[in-house]
Short mmCIF file of all heavy atoms in Angstrom, two decimals:
data_model
loop_
_atom_site.label_atom_id
_atom_site.label_comp_id
_atom_site.label_asym_id
_atom_site.label_seq_id
_atom_site.Cartn_x
_atom_site.Cartn_y
_atom_site.Cartn_z
N GLU Y 350 -59.52 -8.36 -10.22
CA GLU Y 350 -58.87 -7.27 -11.07
C GLU Y 350 -60.01 -6.56 -11.84
O GLU Y 350 -60.78 -7.23 -12.60
CB GLU Y 350 -57.87 -7.69 -11.95
CG GLU Y 350 -57.32 -6.79 -12.91
CD GLU Y 350 -56.65 -5.58 -12.25
OE1 GLU Y 350 -55.67 -5.76 -11.48
OE2 GLU Y 350 -57.12 -4.50 -12.40
N LEU Y 355 -56.09 -5.61 -18.32
CA LEU Y 355 -55.20 -6.33 -17.54
C LEU Y 355 -55.70 -7.66 -17.08
O LEU Y 355 -54.99 -8.73 -17.14
CB LEU Y 355 -54.73 -5.51 -16.23
CG LEU Y 355 -53.82 -6.20 -15.30
CD1 LEU Y 355 -52.50 -6.58 -15.94
CD2 LEU Y 355 -53.46 -5.29 -14.12
N ILE Y 392 -55.27 -13.78 -6.24
CA ILE Y 392 -54.46 -12.71 -6.86
C ILE Y 392 -55.26 -11.40 -6.71
O ILE Y 392 -56.41 -11.39 -7.43
CB ILE Y 392 -54.06 -13.01 -8.23
CG1 ILE Y 392 -53.14 -14.23 -8.27
CG2 ILE Y 392 -53.23 -11.78 -8.82
CD1 ILE Y 392 -52.79 -14.63 -9.66
N LEU Y 393 -54.89 -10.42 -5.93
CA LEU Y 393 -55.77 -9.45 -5.47
C LEU Y 393 -55.28 -7.97 -5.84
O LEU Y 393 -54.27 -7.58 -5.37
CB LEU Y 393 -55.93 -9.51 -3.94
CG LEU Y 393 -56.84 -8.49 -3.27
CD1 LEU Y 393 -58.26 -8.62 -3.65
CD2 LEU Y 393 -56.73 -8.67 -1.67
N ASP Y 394 -56.05 -7.25 -6.61
CA ASP Y 394 -55.83 -5.89 -6.80
C ASP Y 394 -56.29 -5.12 -5.66
O ASP Y 394 -57.16 -5.62 -4.91
CB ASP Y 394 -56.55 -5.42 -8.12
CG ASP Y 394 -56.24 -3.97 -8.50
OD1 ASP Y 394 -55.19 -3.44 -8.10
OD2 ASP Y 394 -57.19 -3.37 -9.04
N LEU Y 395 -55.70 -3.93 -5.36
CA LEU Y 395 -56.10 -3.18 -4.23
C LEU Y 395 -57.20 -2.06 -4.55
O LEU Y 395 -58.12 -1.84 -3.85
CB LEU Y 395 -54.89 -2.41 -3.56
CG LEU Y 395 -53.87 -3.33 -2.92
CD1 LEU Y 395 -52.83 -2.54 -2.17
CD2 LEU Y 395 -54.54 -4.33 -2.04
N GLY Y 396 -57.02 -1.47 -5.66
CA GLY Y 396 -58.00 -0.36 -6.05
C GLY Y 396 -59.27 -0.97 -6.71
O GLY Y 396 -59.36 -0.89 -7.90
N ASP Y 401 -62.52 -2.07 -1.13
CA ASP Y 401 -61.14 -1.98 -1.34
C ASP Y 401 -60.31 -3.32 -1.20
O ASP Y 401 -60.86 -4.14 -0.37
CB ASP Y 401 -60.41 -0.85 -0.55
CG ASP Y 401 -58.99 -0.76 -0.79
OD1 ASP Y 401 -58.63 0.00 -1.78
OD2 ASP Y 401 -58.23 -1.37 -0.05
N LEU Y 403 -57.62 -4.09 0.27
CA LEU Y 403 -57.11 -4.29 1.60
C LEU Y 403 -58.13 -4.73 2.60
O LEU Y 403 -57.95 -5.45 3.46
CB LEU Y 403 -56.41 -3.03 2.16
CG LEU Y 403 -54.98 -2.78 1.85
CD1 LEU Y 403 -54.47 -1.54 2.38
CD2 LEU Y 403 -54.11 -3.93 2.25
N LEU Y 419 -51.74 -12.93 -3.04
CA LEU Y 419 -50.69 -12.18 -3.81
C LEU Y 419 -51.33 -10.80 -4.23
O LEU Y 419 -52.26 -10.84 -5.07
CB LEU Y 419 -50.20 -13.00 -5.06
CG LEU Y 419 -49.36 -12.21 -6.06
CD1 LEU Y 419 -48.18 -11.69 -5.43
CD2 LEU Y 419 -48.95 -13.12 -7.18
N ILE Y 420 -50.84 -9.73 -3.67
CA ILE Y 420 -51.31 -8.43 -4.00
C ILE Y 420 -50.70 -7.96 -5.31
O ILE Y 420 -49.46 -8.08 -5.45
CB ILE Y 420 -51.07 -7.49 -2.89
CG1 ILE Y 420 -52.04 -7.75 -1.71
CG2 ILE Y 420 -51.24 -5.96 -3.44
CD1 ILE Y 420 -51.79 -6.81 -0.49
N LEU Y 421 -51.54 -7.42 -6.19
CA LEU Y 421 -51.10 -6.63 -7.39
C LEU Y 421 -51.60 -5.23 -7.21
O LEU Y 421 -52.74 -4.95 -7.04
CB LEU Y 421 -51.66 -7.21 -8.65
CG LEU Y 421 -51.44 -8.70 -8.98
CD1 LEU Y 421 -52.03 -9.12 -10.27
CD2 LEU Y 421 -49.90 -8.98 -9.06
N SER Y 422 -50.65 -4.28 -7.28
CA SER Y 422 -51.04 -2.89 -7.07
C SER Y 422 -50.06 -1.91 -7.61
O SER Y 422 -48.83 -2.16 -7.77
CB SER Y 422 -51.18 -2.67 -5.54
OG SER Y 422 -51.56 -1.31 -5.27
N ALA Y 423 -50.62 -0.80 -8.15
CA ALA Y 423 -49.82 0.24 -8.57
C ALA Y 423 -49.29 1.13 -7.39
O ALA Y 423 -48.48 2.06 -7.56
CB ALA Y 423 -50.57 1.21 -9.43
N ARG Y 424 -49.78 0.89 -6.13
CA ARG Y 424 -49.27 1.56 -4.98
C ARG Y 424 -47.82 1.05 -4.62
O ARG Y 424 -47.72 -0.05 -4.03
CB ARG Y 424 -50.21 1.38 -3.82
CG ARG Y 424 -51.70 1.73 -4.12
CD ARG Y 424 -52.59 1.43 -2.90
NE ARG Y 424 -54.03 1.60 -3.35
CZ ARG Y 424 -55.00 1.15 -2.59
NH1 ARG Y 424 -54.75 0.64 -1.38
NH2 ARG Y 424 -56.24 1.36 -3.03
N ASP Y 425 -46.88 1.85 -4.97
CA ASP Y 425 -45.44 1.26 -4.92
C ASP Y 425 -44.65 1.79 -3.71
O ASP Y 425 -43.46 1.45 -3.58
CB ASP Y 425 -44.80 1.54 -6.22
CG ASP Y 425 -44.72 3.05 -6.56
OD1 ASP Y 425 -45.24 3.87 -5.82
OD2 ASP Y 425 -43.96 3.40 -7.48
N ALA Y 426 -45.26 2.67 -2.93
CA ALA Y 426 -44.48 3.23 -1.72
C ALA Y 426 -44.15 2.04 -0.77
O ALA Y 426 -44.97 1.19 -0.64
CB ALA Y 426 -45.32 4.31 -1.07
N ASP Y 429 -47.02 1.32 1.57
CA ASP Y 429 -48.10 0.53 1.01
C ASP Y 429 -47.86 -0.94 1.03
O ASP Y 429 -48.72 -1.77 1.40
CB ASP Y 429 -48.35 1.06 -0.41
CG ASP Y 429 -48.94 2.42 -0.40
OD1 ASP Y 429 -49.81 2.74 0.34
OD2 ASP Y 429 -48.52 3.21 -1.39
N ARG Y 430 -46.57 -1.29 0.61
CA ARG Y 430 -46.15 -2.62 0.61
C ARG Y 430 -46.12 -3.26 2.06
O ARG Y 430 -46.63 -4.39 2.30
CB ARG Y 430 -44.84 -2.89 -0.08
CG ARG Y 430 -44.87 -2.77 -1.50
CD ARG Y 430 -43.55 -2.85 -2.17
NE ARG Y 430 -42.90 -1.59 -2.17
CZ ARG Y 430 -41.70 -1.31 -2.73
NH1 ARG Y 430 -41.02 -2.36 -3.24
NH2 ARG Y 430 -41.18 -0.17 -2.69
N ASP Y 440 -47.49 -12.02 -0.51
CA ASP Y 440 -46.63 -11.41 -1.49
C ASP Y 440 -47.26 -10.18 -2.05
O ASP Y 440 -48.35 -9.95 -1.88
CB ASP Y 440 -46.19 -12.41 -2.61
CG ASP Y 440 -44.95 -12.12 -3.19
OD1 ASP Y 440 -44.31 -11.08 -3.01
OD2 ASP Y 440 -44.51 -13.00 -4.11
N TYR Y 441 -46.34 -9.28 -2.61
CA TYR Y 441 -46.79 -7.94 -3.09
C TYR Y 441 -46.00 -7.71 -4.28
O TYR Y 441 -44.79 -7.66 -4.24
CB TYR Y 441 -46.57 -6.97 -1.99
CG TYR Y 441 -47.25 -5.70 -2.22
CD1 TYR Y 441 -48.19 -5.20 -1.35
CD2 TYR Y 441 -46.86 -4.64 -3.24
CE1 TYR Y 441 -48.85 -4.00 -1.51
CE2 TYR Y 441 -47.48 -3.54 -3.38
CZ TYR Y 441 -48.43 -3.09 -2.53
OH TYR Y 441 -49.07 -1.92 -2.65
N LEU Y 442 -46.75 -7.46 -5.44
CA LEU Y 442 -46.13 -7.11 -6.79
C LEU Y 442 -46.58 -5.87 -7.19
O LEU Y 442 -47.84 -5.71 -7.38
CB LEU Y 442 -46.43 -8.36 -7.65
CG LEU Y 442 -45.70 -8.36 -9.15
CD1 LEU Y 442 -44.23 -8.35 -8.94
CD2 LEU Y 442 -46.18 -9.54 -9.83
N VAL Y 443 -45.72 -4.95 -7.59
CA VAL Y 443 -46.14 -3.70 -8.06
C VAL Y 443 -46.30 -3.60 -9.48
O VAL Y 443 -45.58 -4.13 -10.33
CB VAL Y 443 -44.95 -2.64 -7.62
CG1 VAL Y 443 -45.32 -1.30 -8.18
CG2 VAL Y 443 -44.79 -2.60 -6.09
N LYS Y 444 -47.35 -2.88 -9.94
CA LYS Y 444 -47.69 -2.74 -11.37
C LYS Y 444 -46.81 -1.52 -11.86
O LYS Y 444 -46.68 -0.58 -11.13
CB LYS Y 444 -49.15 -2.38 -11.60
CG LYS Y 444 -50.16 -3.49 -11.03
CD LYS Y 444 -51.56 -2.96 -11.26
CE LYS Y 444 -52.59 -3.91 -10.74
NZ LYS Y 444 -54.05 -3.35 -10.94
N PRO Y 445 -46.33 -1.59 -13.16
CA PRO Y 445 -46.53 -2.69 -13.99
C PRO Y 445 -45.51 -3.77 -13.64
O PRO Y 445 -44.51 -3.50 -13.02
CB PRO Y 445 -46.11 -1.99 -15.37
CG PRO Y 445 -45.30 -0.81 -14.99
CD PRO Y 445 -45.80 -0.39 -13.70
N PHE Y 446 -45.81 -4.99 -14.14
CA PHE Y 446 -44.94 -6.12 -13.76
C PHE Y 446 -44.83 -7.00 -15.01
O PHE Y 446 -45.58 -6.95 -15.93
CB PHE Y 446 -45.56 -6.96 -12.59
CG PHE Y 446 -46.97 -7.32 -12.83
CD1 PHE Y 446 -47.30 -8.43 -13.54
CD2 PHE Y 446 -47.98 -6.53 -12.32
CE1 PHE Y 446 -48.63 -8.84 -13.79
CE2 PHE Y 446 -49.31 -6.89 -12.59
CZ PHE Y 446 -49.60 -8.05 -13.22
#
Side-chain angles (χ1 to χ4, degrees):
E350 173 58 64
L355 179 56
I392 298 177
L393 180 66
D394 183 29
L395 293 186
D401 181 80
L403 274 180
L419 166 58
I420 287 178
L421 303 181
S422 178
R424 304 174 190 175
D425 60 354
D429 293 318
R430 283 177 279 182
D440 203 350
Y441 194 112
L442 187 58
V443 175
K444 300 176 182 178
F446 52 85

